[in-house]
Amino acid sequence: MKMNLYQDRANGMSLKNITVTDQFWKRYRNLVKKQMIPYQWSVMNDNANIKITKEREDNRIPSEKSHAVANFLIAAGRQKGNHYGYVFQDTDVYKWLEAVAYTLKYAPDEDLQEVADQLIDLIADTQETDGYLVTYFMIEAPERKFKRLKQSHELYSMGHYIEAGVAYYEVTGNTKALSIARRMADCIDENFGPEEGKIHGYDGHPEIELALAKLYEATNEKRYLDLAQYFIIQRGKDPQFFDRQIEADGKDRDIIAGMEAFPLSYYQADKPVFDQEAAEGHAVRVVYLCTGMAHVARLTHNKKVLAACRRLWDNIVRKRMYITGGIGSTPIGESFTYDYDLPNDTMYCETCASVAMAFFARRMLENEPKGEYADILEKELFNSTISGVSLDGEHFFYVNPLEVSIEASRRDPGKSHVMYERQNWFGCACCPPNLARLIASIDQYIYTLDDEKQTIYAHQFIANRAQFDNDISIEQSSHFPWEGHIKFTIENPQRKHFKFAVRIPYWSAHHYTLHHSGGEISPESKNGFIYFDIHQEQFEIELNLDMRVHEIQANNRVKHDLDKVAIQRGPIVYCMEEADNPAPLSLYRIPNKPEFKYTYKPDLLEGVGTIEVEAERLEADPLDGPLYRDYRTYEWKPAHIHFIPYYAWINRQPGEMQVWVRKQL
Amino acid sequence: MKMNLYQDRANGMSLKNITVTDQFWKRYRNLVKKQMIPYQWSVMNDNANIKITKEREDNRIPSEKSHAVANFLIAAGRQKGNHYGYVFQDTDVYKWLEAVAYTLKYAPDEDLQEVADQLIDLIADTQETDGYLVTYFMIEAPERKFKRLKQSHELYSMGHYIEAGVAYYEVTGNTKALSIARRMADCIDENFGPEEGKIHGYDGHPEIELALAKLYEATNEKRYLDLAQYFIIQRGKDPQFFDRQIEADGKDRDIIAGMEAFPLSYYQADKPVFDQEAAEGHAVRVVYLCTGMAHVARLTHNKKVLAACRRLWDNIVRKRMYITGGIGSTPIGESFTYDYDLPNDTMYCETCASVAMAFFARRMLENEPKGEYADILEKELFNSTISGVSLDGEHFFYVNPLEVSIEASRRDPGKSHVMYERQNWFGCACCPPNLARLIASIDQYIYTLDDEKQTIYAHQFIANRAQFDNDISIEQSSHFPWEGHIKFTIENPQRKHFKFAVRIPYWSAHHYTLHHSGGEISPESKNGFIYFDIHQEQFEIELNLDMRVHEIQANNRVKHDLDKVAIQRGPIVYCMEEADNPAPLSLYRIPNKPEFKYTYKPDLLEGVGTIEVEAERLEADPLDGPLYRDYRTYEWKPAHIHFIPYYAWINRQPGEMQVWVRKQL
């Protein structure tokens, strides 16, 4: 079974090691290591002198402090006090630990490992003898364990530890880390399942499914896989499950105030996953569930589960996703709404939801090599995930808007969730460590292998050196995403026969050039990949992708984007910022036949490619002018538009921002 | 002082009587008399078998029944039980009574008057010996009277009775009706004011100010005017007033749950009215306050108060009003947001707020004859007030949107307040009777008089016969708003010398023709009025207004309306409805040089003028098409657009609706 971090299926041709050499991602991975990890640790220990922001206007959001580590100290009996924060506060610590695990692989650090080992000791001390560990319930309400799963996040919380424990074990060999995870899973297995006397239910927030699948691969313990599958299949089968629990636990004893306002579809619990035609409810819940389903589908060969994954993938990607990769069209329930409803200034687009889409895409790629999965993965990686962190690594977005005005955020309560500057931390701090663990594990998203077909798939243009079995090594070099020249150098000293498949991204599908050392043979193209038959000792591929600037148009059912275009180059979606363009940004338009000028600016925003175009704008009507008047033809004035990559917005002074720009029709 | 319903200032030339002969408004006034009054009475007595709709998604909204009359029976001791409904439930009854008073003038009805007289007896029985009357506090919390004015609506409630009592007295001569009002005002005067020992505060919801001004005019009791002025000047002077009351009353004892979330500006209580530069907070509160201020300014000649009215008027009308006359850009707090923020599909535009704008405009016209006030009054009367009631008189809108999709209302929780069909009744039923009293009193909005300048101003094109002092009579005949030919026939048997000023509406300012019997003299034009010097025994004026179709453009700072036009003819704003135009409506556009065809259709929607135009539309992109793609030029197909008056929308089958339509640039 699974042997290492990278690849879960192959045995004959597993990926043994990989080093990210990519400039773009090395900067982010250094940021995680040097800024985000120490910063987040100090916040979770309440040692950072910062103001914590509520992710929404709500007095019930705990936002005085993090207290996340203190909750463990109290639950372990090492300290006196009460639990503070959300019921799932523990997961901040777990996601941080998981990120630490990944960084220790590319940036070994004995001091950090010592801190993490001690944290694992603390977690082990905290864990109860039966394996249970959720500090809120241990400290505040031990009698309510597993009694109100709609709100309790208990399996969600332990799922996050399981992910962290598996990762830490795999990187460092710390067996205690794995053993905590096993004991948690055993506790859950003891309490949940189809057998009589167990709870025939599931957590209101999916997560345990994907965690158990990971644990199964680390331990080969089939019970964990069965349990993961049970949670998936049981979900929504008995829509009264939550209500019965709440009736028994006491209707007026909400664990998270206000959650009862949401319908069962918010929890993907209104009907079985096989009957869920569209992605409904809380976006992160949907995609965590899908990630677990895709993982379990591969491990169990359950075609019905895979079909459900494909259906939800298609609905999200083809009807409900912003061009940045953001998902979740409404802040109310951080949720999906309906097909083609993609408002640019009231959306949610939670950082965690984009991180989750990266997880889901990866698991789908492991099921089937379709370029679309890697395309969306790339869209997430280069846009609405990393837009969630500032270039300094210490400020974060929960919500990633496509159009911002300071006045709207301040004065329209319907947009009060849209921050126009990244924040230090949040009352619900799920996003910062989630993004840290994604960036720190980016090496796991570059390749997949298909043992049966003896194929190595290269999904992402992230420069790296990778060693596979049979002494095969692949070096990918590039200056992506700024340049489209990609070079693969394959060493195959044993002259093994295998296939190497390179994704041709959707944005370059019709314009790219390819050179390779395989002579006359022209490689096969299928489902977004180009397949090379390799048997030579050395093989070189040079790919030149289409790095022209694209004007992108939305399906005209998206009324918010009508008569507008978004600017994209390679995978990078661009935006206009007031820092470069005088407001109001709504008054610009891109001409019929624009000439875009691309410039890489090494000194701007840690090095970004910028795009400029000669365009037009209306002069803003005078403030003392009439509000309404008889129509008169607009008078367009020449204007210059300066675009920067979306992910890099608001790293200078605050102001307006917009992704979609009016287009001369 | 005030002698009758119509005019408050003139003595030498008061308006003695007026009969509305207008076809358009007679239909509405019959609807009030024959449908709305009996229907609302049965609802308030819980005899109508209807479903009551919550105006927002909130479990705390009382919506099982109205119980409005029962609350009086219980408070009067005639019945046992508890109070039900909002703390201001009494005001439904009062507004209904006020509407009844006005209908009894144009449609005398002994049976209805008998019912109303009995209601007044019940109210008199309910009133406490000190004059206090709010059924909620009398039944449920007598110890909390005047103790939590931020939420209690006590002066608001009694203010509504005072308005009703004055109107009923003036129409019917029922002195008990007036005496109840006086006793209420005396009770308030006893408890509030600058004197030591009294409460130095005011109601969280303005209303008492305008009511006391009316009572002063009916009674000539200066205390009432002084008290009205006190409430205006005291407001916001001591921003801690509400907080101190709440501290004393008990922080956790909210009368209306959730109200503490709103800032002081929601109540116009964050600073004195003289320092309020813009209309902030709850739209109805702002405009009720302004109405009272404008009334008091006239009666007291307080220029500072009048200046404050002008400032708020300008801000609302020039920066914060929808083209329909709707105000309130956000459902959160039913509030204003900021200048030029006028989203068409998430707005509030409460019917009551438009009704209040009509009140405010009338009071400003009584201060100064500026056409703009009458223009806005007209905009409200023909658009976003009457859009609040169905053509059958028994279904109502609380929220008046400018763009609707059924799917959005059903599936986007941020639009759940936008109903796509009018409702039977609301948990908070302020709007239906408010609209009834406006329509029933429309005769009070047609003329004002300036005694000093011996001028009669004709503001509205609502056909009527009016008798003034000195045997002067004016007959206005027209088929407005469908036709622009207006005829004034003035009889002046005593050959008095006076001025007659006719408003030239803003939409006709540059195109109208005028004929009159005054010979060569061309009348003076000033501030939106044309002034005729009348001394002849008979004088005729024929005015032909510009009834061409206008394409209206918003100030380009309103980003929601960029590249769009709204269609207006006369004062009527038009809309596209799915009943006439295949959806999605967003895909239509009006060509560069459109040719509009106007047709009056007597059998459609109780008789409406419709507008048609040959236009263009995009074919909707296929549902299995990509969500994003490289830009390609739109392919426009010929299409026909059919517009109906906005006020008449959704009187057929439900579907999409939009006011603003894309325009070929």
Side-chain angles (χ1 to χ4, degrees):
Chain A
M1 293 307 295
K2 180 168 179 191
M3 304 309 291
N4 64 37
L5 287 169
Y6 301 115
Q7 170 52 0
D8 317 297
R9 184 163 37 177
N11 45 45
M13 50 185 310
S14 70
L15 173 51
K16 296 164 76 84
N17 197 26
I18 179 168
T19 306
V20 170
T21 56
D22 191 275
Q23 286 310 305
F24 185 89
W25 287 103
K26 268 174 79 176
R27 201 197 73 80
Y28 271 106
R29 284 155 71 85
N30 278 335
L31 200 67
V32 170
K33 159 74 185 142
K34 294 193 175 144
Q35 254 67 46
M36 291 171 77
I37 295 281
Y39 173 75
Q40 295 184 10
W41 182 244
S42 77
V43 173
M44 294 189 305
N45 283 279
D46 302 307
N47 293 329
N49 185 21
I50 53 160
K51 188 178 164 289
I52 297 182
T53 305
K54 296 171 185 176
E55 64 282 5
R56 281 183 307 280
E57 284 293 328
D58 192 332
N59 286 326
R60 298 168 297 197
I61 291 175
S63 58
E64 295 300 307
K65 54 190 172 184
S66 161
H67 207 257
V69 173
N71 290 333
F72 284 93
L73 293 168
I74 293 163
R78 294 194 196 171
Q79 199 172 289
K80 292 238 174 284
N82 283 102
H83 182 275
Y84 184 87
Y86 277 106
V87 65
F88 50 81
Q89 205 85 342
D90 300 351
T91 62
D92 296 352
V93 176
Y94 299 150
K95 280 187 275 191
W96 177 85
L97 178 62
E98 188 183 345
V100 166
Y102 302 136
T103 66
L104 290 176
K105 183 140 202 318
Y106 66 83
D109 178 332
E110 281 181 23
D111 294 341
L112 178 59
Q113 190 164 342
E114 173 78 21
V115 170
D117 284 343
Q118 285 172 6
L119 175 62
I120 285 160
D121 290 341
L122 169 60
I123 294 169
D125 276 8
T126 312
Q127 189 170 33
E128 301 200 328
T129 46
D130 67 351
Y132 184 92
L133 202 181
V134 180
T135 63
Y136 171 81
F137 287 95
M138 292 167 65
I139 300 170
E140 303 294 340
E143 75 289 358
R144 293 177 82 185
K145 286 178 197 170
F146 298 143
K147 294 278 167 54
R148 202 184 191 96
L149 288 153
K150 192 179 184 183
Q151 302 184 347
S152 75
H153 290 72
E154 287 162 284
L155 311 192
Y156 170 85
S157 294
M158 289 195 265
H160 269 301
Y161 176 79
I162 291 169
E163 286 197 87
V166 167
Y168 199 77
Y169 160 73
E170 287 184 336
V171 173
T172 67
N174 181 322
T175 53
K176 193 189 260 187
L178 186 65
S179 140
I180 298 168
R182 291 193 73 132
R183 291 176 57 214
M184 281 184 185
D186 293 341
C187 168
I188 295 168
D189 190 39
E190 201 62 39
N191 283 281
F192 292 82
E195 298 84 2
E196 213 176 317
K198 292 188 176 179
I199 301 168
H200 307 319
Y202 38 83
D203 197 287
H205 198 316
E207 154 69 29
I208 190 65
E209 302 81 0
L210 71 87
L212 287 169
K214 283 184 170 185
L215 184 62
Y216 162 68
E217 292 196 293
T219 61
N220 208 12
E221 173 58 75
K222 179 124 186 320
R223 276 188 302 123
Y224 302 149
L225 180 59
D226 291 344
L227 188 58
Q229 186 167 241
Y230 170 76
F231 283 131
I232 289 165
I233 292 171
Q234 183 62 20
R235 193 165 202 91
K237 251 193 179 170
D238 170 12
Q240 276 73 53
F241 166 67
F242 286 145
D243 282 349
R244 281 197 311 272
Q245 276 210 321
I246 286 172
E247 194 69 44
D249 186 50
K251 267 204 163 186
D252 297 329
R253 299 172 71 215
D254 270 350
I255 293 170
I256 301 179
M259 280 203 78
E260 280 312 303
F262 298 122
L264 275 179
S265 57
Y266 170 90
Y267 307 89
Q268 301 78 51
D270 54 327
K271 53 190 167 195
V273 292
F274 305 116
D275 300 333
Q276 295 182 17
E277 295 292 330
E280 305 293 357
H282 185 249
V284 173
R285 281 177 168 78
V286 173
V287 185
Y288 273 26
L289 177 61
C290 287
T291 302
M293 284 164 61
H295 202 155
V296 167
R298 172 168 63 77
L299 296 170
T300 59
H301 310 288
N302 186 326
K303 288 192 178 155
K304 222 177 135 192
V305 172
L306 182 59
C309 291
R310 288 199 194 105
R311 196 162 49 236
L312 292 172
W313 174 274
D314 284 352
N315 178 252
I316 294 169
V317 165
R318 296 181 191 176
K319 310 268 169 82
R320 300 185 178 199
M321 177 175 277
Y322 287 86
I323 192 167
T324 54
I327 52 172
S329 294
T330 177
I332 300 167
E334 308 176 331
S335 285
F336 289 105
T337 54
Y338 57 93
D339 293 349
Y340 305 111
D341 181 43
L342 297 164
N344 292 306
D345 56 352
T346 56
M347 72 303 98
Y348 211 62
C349 292
E350 183 179 340
T351 303
C352 280
S354 280
V355 169
M357 276 306 297
F359 298 161
F360 184 20
R362 175 192 180 190
R363 295 301 173 201
M364 288 307 281
L365 278 171
E366 290 171 356
N367 273 294
E368 46 187 4
K370 279 169 61 179
E372 180 179 300
Y373 300 130
D375 286 343
I376 294 295
L377 171 53
E378 180 189 74
K379 183 187 274 292
E380 300 294 354
L381 292 180
F382 286 97
N383 299 289
S384 67
T385 55
I386 53 173
S387 62
V389 62
S390 59
L391 295 174
D392 72 7
E394 299 190 354
H395 297 85
F396 306 94
F397 274 135
Y398 198 106
V399 170
N400 293 274
L402 282 83
E403 186 174 315
V404 167
S405 117
I406 295 178
E407 197 168 28
S409 293
R410 283 188 183 154
R411 307 195 60 191
D412 176 358
K415 293 181 185 144
S416 62
H417 65 292
V418 182
M419 304 288 166
Y420 50 85
E421 288 187 283
R422 293 184 185 83
Q423 307 294 306
N424 290 310
W425 202 250
F426 302 95
C428 173
C430 47
C431 298
N434 218 357
L435 184 54
R437 67 179 179 143
L438 175 70
I439 295 171
S441 61
I442 197 84
D443 46 338
Q444 301 178 34
Y445 292 76
I446 299 174
Y447 295 103
T448 61
L449 290 87
D450 185 328
D451 199 35
E452 269 173 44
K453 295 185 183 157
Q454 291 287 305
T455 305
I456 297 171
Y457 296 93
H459 302 299
Q460 296 303 321
F461 303 109
I462 296 175
N464 69 86
R465 280 193 305 275
Q467 278 81 46
F468 299 83
D469 275 347
N470 303 312
D471 292 337
I472 295 167
S473 74
I474 299 177
E475 175 159 8
Q476 186 195 139
S477 56
S478 71
H479 296 288
F480 200 75
W482 313 122
E483 294 175 22
H485 179 78
I486 317 285
K487 187 174 170 185
F488 293 96
T489 308
I490 299 166
E491 305 285 345
N492 182 19
Q494 298 182 33
R495 292 177 176 266
K496 287 279 171 188
H497 196 125
F498 68 99
K499 286 192 183 183
F500 181 61
V502 176
R503 178 178 63 106
I504 302 299
Y506 71 99
W507 44 266
S508 190
H510 305 296
H511 294 91
Y512 63 90
T513 62
L514 188 64
H515 300 279
H516 61 89
S517 59
E520 299 285 297
I521 305 141
S522 67
E524 190 196 1
S525 169
K526 194 179 156 192
N527 269 340
F529 287 91
I530 293 202
Y531 289 77
F532 298 89
D533 273 308
I534 314 269
H535 50 81
Q536 299 90 330
E537 200 174 330
Q538 224 194 21
F539 197 91
E540 284 197 359
I541 301 166
E542 289 196 37
L543 183 61
N544 280 294
L545 296 170
D546 176 13
M547 299 308 280
R548 292 174 304 173
V549 174
H550 289 248
E551 291 180 278
I552 307 294
Q553 182 174 60
N555 187 303
N556 68 24
R557 292 173 187 268
V558 183
K559 71 176 180 177
H560 320 85
D561 301 337
L562 271 176
D563 305 345
K564 293 180 176 177
V565 292
I567 301 304
Q568 185 172 341
R569 180 181 178 275
I572 301 275
V573 174
Y574 279 74
C575 71
M576 294 175 68
E577 249 198 324
E578 193 174 339
D580 302 306
N581 307 281
L585 301 186
S586 56
L587 297 185
Y588 292 79
R589 79 168 180 186
I590 295 179
N592 213 321
K593 294 187 193 305
E595 288 187 22
F596 295 103
K597 186 182 153 210
Y598 172 80
T599 316
Y600 180 75
K601 297 191 176 158
D603 299 328
L604 182 67
L605 299 165
E606 304 282 333
V608 289
T610 64
I611 294 170
E612 289 163 273
V613 67
E614 294 309 322
E616 297 175 317
R617 65 171 291 182
L618 301 175
E619 269 183 45
D621 283 334
L623 287 167
D624 59 355
L627 186 51
Y628 303 105
R629 60 165 179 243
D630 279 338
Y631 176 77
R632 55 173 190 252
T633 311
Y634 290 145
E635 278 182 42
W636 296 96
K637 311 265 165 157
H640 187 82
I641 303 181
H642 190 280
F643 293 95
I644 61 160
Y646 170 73
Y647 75 81
W649 84 278
I650 190 61
N651 279 286
R652 294 171 294 174
Q653 65 272 35
E656 285 190 25
M657 184 278 286
Q658 68 178 20
V659 169
W660 291 93
V661 186
R662 291 156 83 201
K663 171 74 182 170
Q664 181 181 13
L665 297 187
Chain B
M1 292 307 297
K2 182 169 177 189
M3 304 309 291
N4 63 39
L5 286 168
Y6 301 114
Q7 170 52 357
D8 317 296
R9 183 163 37 178
N11 44 45
M13 49 185 310
S14 70
L15 172 52
K16 297 164 75 84
N17 197 25
I18 179 169
T19 306
V20 171
T21 55
D22 191 275
Q23 286 309 305
F24 184 89
W25 287 104
K26 267 174 80 176
R27 201 197 73 81
Y28 271 106
R29 284 155 73 84
N30 279 335
L31 200 67
V32 171
K33 158 74 185 144
K34 292 191 178 147
Q35 254 67 46
M36 293 170 77
I37 295 282
Y39 172 76
Q40 295 184 10
W41 182 243
S42 76
V43 172
M44 292 189 305
N45 283 278
D46 301 307
N47 293 329
N49 184 23
I50 52 158
K51 188 181 164 288
I52 297 181
T53 305
K54 296 170 184 177
E55 65 282 6
R56 282 184 306 279
E57 286 292 327
D58 192 332
N59 287 326
R60 298 168 296 197
I61 291 176
S63 59
E64 295 300 307
K65 55 191 172 183
S66 161
H67 207 256
V69 174
N71 290 332
F72 284 93
L73 294 168
I74 294 163
R78 294 195 196 170
Q79 201 172 286
K80 292 239 174 285
N82 283 102
H83 182 276
Y84 183 87
Y86 277 106
V87 65
F88 49 80
Q89 205 85 343
D90 301 351
T91 61
D92 296 352
V93 176
Y94 299 150
K95 281 188 272 190
W96 178 85
L97 178 63
E98 189 182 344
V100 166
Y102 302 136
T103 66
L104 290 175
K105 183 141 200 317
Y106 65 84
D109 178 333
E110 281 181 23
D111 294 341
L112 178 59
Q113 192 166 342
E114 173 76 22
V115 170
D117 284 343
Q118 285 172 6
L119 175 63
I120 285 160
D121 290 342
L122 169 61
I123 295 169
D125 276 8
T126 312
Q127 190 170 33
E128 303 200 329
T129 46
D130 68 351
Y132 185 92
L133 203 182
V134 180
T135 64
Y136 171 82
F137 287 94
M138 291 167 65
I139 300 170
E140 302 294 341
E143 76 288 359
R144 294 177 81 184
K145 286 178 196 169
F146 299 142
K147 293 279 168 49
R148 203 183 190 95
L149 288 152
K150 192 179 185 183
Q151 303 184 347
S152 75
H153 288 73
E154 287 162 285
L155 311 192
Y156 170 84
S157 295
M158 290 193 265
H160 270 299
Y161 176 79
I162 292 170
E163 286 197 86
V166 167
Y168 199 78
Y169 160 73
E170 288 184 336
V171 173
T172 67
N174 182 322
T175 53
K176 192 189 262 187
L178 185 65
S179 137
I180 298 167
R182 291 193 74 131
R183 291 177 57 215
M184 280 184 186
D186 293 342
C187 168
I188 296 167
D189 190 39
E190 201 62 37
N191 283 280
F192 292 83
E195 298 85 1
E196 211 176 317
K198 291 188 177 181
I199 300 168
H200 306 319
Y202 37 83
D203 197 288
H205 198 316
E207 153 70 28
I208 190 64
E209 302 81 0
L210 71 88
L212 288 170
K214 283 185 170 185
L215 184 62
Y216 162 68
E217 292 196 293
T219 60
N220 208 12
E221 173 58 74
K222 178 120 187 321
R223 275 190 301 121
Y224 302 149
L225 180 59
D226 291 344
L227 187 58
Q229 186 167 242
Y230 169 76
F231 284 131
I232 289 166
I233 292 171
Q234 182 62 20
R235 194 165 201 92
K237 251 192 178 170
D238 169 12
Q240 276 73 53
F241 166 67
F242 286 145
D243 281 350
R244 280 198 311 273
Q245 275 210 322
I246 286 173
E247 194 70 45
D249 186 49
K251 266 206 166 185
D252 296 330
R253 300 173 71 214
D254 270 350
I255 293 170
I256 301 178
M259 280 203 78
E260 280 312 303
F262 298 120
L264 274 180
S265 57
Y266 170 90
Y267 308 89
Q268 301 79 51
D270 54 326
K271 51 191 166 193
V273 293
F274 306 116
D275 300 333
Q276 296 182 17
E277 294 292 330
E280 306 292 358
H282 186 249
V284 173
R285 280 176 168 79
V286 173
V287 186
Y288 274 25
L289 177 60
C290 286
T291 303
M293 285 163 61
H295 202 156
V296 167
R298 172 168 62 78
L299 296 169
T300 59
H301 310 287
N302 186 326
K303 287 192 178 157
K304 222 177 136 192
V305 172
L306 182 60
C309 291
R310 287 199 196 105
R311 194 162 51 237
L312 292 171
W313 173 276
D314 284 352
N315 179 252
I316 295 170
V317 165
R318 297 180 191 178
K319 310 270 169 81
R320 301 186 178 198
M321 177 176 279
Y322 287 87
I323 192 168
T324 55
I327 52 172
S329 294
T330 177
I332 300 167
E334 309 176 330
S335 285
F336 289 105
T337 54
Y338 56 96
D339 292 349
Y340 305 111
D341 182 44
L342 297 164
N344 293 305
D345 56 352
T346 56
M347 73 301 100
Y348 211 62
C349 292
E350 184 179 340
T351 303
C352 280
S354 280
V355 168
M357 276 306 297
F359 298 161
F360 185 21
R362 175 193 179 187
R363 297 300 172 203
M364 288 307 281
L365 278 172
E366 291 171 357
N367 273 295
E368 47 188 3
K370 278 170 60 180
E372 181 180 298
Y373 300 130
D375 286 343
I376 294 295
L377 171 53
E378 180 189 73
K379 184 188 272 292
E380 301 294 354
L381 292 179
F382 286 96
N383 300 289
S384 67
T385 54
I386 54 173
S387 62
V389 62
S390 59
L391 295 175
D392 72 8
E394 299 190 352
H395 297 84
F396 305 94
F397 274 135
Y398 198 105
V399 170
N400 294 274
L402 282 81
E403 186 174 314
V404 167
S405 116
I406 294 179
E407 197 169 28
S409 293
R410 284 189 182 153
R411 307 194 61 192
D412 176 357
K415 293 180 186 146
S416 63
H417 64 292
V418 182
M419 303 287 166
Y420 50 85
E421 288 186 281
R422 293 184 185 83
Q423 307 293 306
N424 290 311
W425 203 250
F426 302 95
C428 173
C430 47
C431 297
N434 219 356
L435 184 54
R437 67 179 179 143
L438 175 68
I439 295 171
S441 61
I442 197 84
D443 46 336
Q444 300 177 35
Y445 293 76
I446 300 174
Y447 295 104
T448 60
L449 289 87
D450 186 327
D451 199 36
E452 270 172 44
K453 295 184 183 157
Q454 290 286 305
T455 304
I456 298 172
Y457 296 93
H459 302 299
Q460 296 302 321
F461 303 109
I462 296 176
N464 70 85
R465 281 193 304 274
Q467 279 81 47
F468 299 82
D469 275 345
N470 302 312
D471 292 336
I472 295 168
S473 76
I474 299 177
E475 176 160 6
Q476 185 194 140
S477 57
S478 73
H479 296 289
F480 200 75
W482 313 123
E483 294 175 22
H485 178 77
I486 317 285
K487 187 173 171 187
F488 294 95
T489 308
I490 300 166
E491 304 285 344
N492 180 20
Q494 299 182 31
R495 292 177 174 267
K496 288 278 170 189
H497 196 123
F498 69 99
K499 286 192 183 183
F500 182 60
V502 176
R503 178 178 62 106
I504 302 299
Y506 70 99
W507 44 265
S508 190
H510 305 296
H511 295 90
Y512 64 90
T513 62
L514 188 65
H515 301 278
H516 60 89
S517 59
E520 299 285 295
I521 305 140
S522 66
E524 188 196 2
S525 168
K526 193 179 157 193
N527 270 340
F529 287 90
I530 294 205
Y531 288 78
F532 298 90
D533 273 309
I534 313 270
H535 49 81
Q536 300 90 330
E537 199 173 332
Q538 223 194 23
F539 197 90
E540 282 195 359
I541 301 166
E542 288 194 40
L543 183 62
N544 279 293
L545 295 171
D546 175 12
M547 298 309 280
R548 292 174 306 174
V549 173
H550 290 248
E551 291 180 278
I552 307 293
Q553 182 173 59
N555 187 303
N556 68 23
R557 292 171 186 269
V558 183
K559 71 175 181 178
H560 319 87
D561 300 336
L562 271 176
D563 305 345
K564 292 179 177 177
V565 291
I567 301 304
Q568 185 173 341
R569 180 181 179 274
I572 301 276
V573 174
Y574 279 75
C575 70
M576 292 175 69
E577 247 198 324
E578 193 174 339
D580 302 306
N581 307 281
L585 301 186
S586 57
L587 297 185
Y588 291 80
R589 79 168 180 186
I590 294 179
N592 213 321
K593 293 186 193 306
E595 289 187 22
F596 294 103
K597 186 182 153 211
Y598 172 79
T599 315
Y600 180 75
K601 296 190 177 159
D603 299 328
L604 182 66
L605 299 165
E606 303 282 333
V608 288
T610 65
I611 294 169
E612 288 163 274
V613 67
E614 294 309 322
E616 296 176 316
R617 65 172 291 182
L618 300 175
E619 269 183 43
D621 282 335
L623 287 166
D624 59 356
L627 186 51
Y628 303 106
R629 61 165 179 244
D630 278 338
Y631 176 76
R632 56 173 189 251
T633 312
Y634 290 146
E635 278 182 42
W636 296 95
K637 311 265 165 157
H640 188 83
I641 303 182
H642 190 280
F643 293 95
I644 60 160
Y646 170 74
Y647 75 81
W649 84 278
I650 191 62
N651 278 286
R652 294 170 295 174
Q653 65 272 34
E656 285 191 23
M657 184 278 285
Q658 68 177 19
V659 169
W660 291 94
V661 186
R662 292 157 82 201
K663 170 74 182 170
Q664 181 181 12
L665 298 186

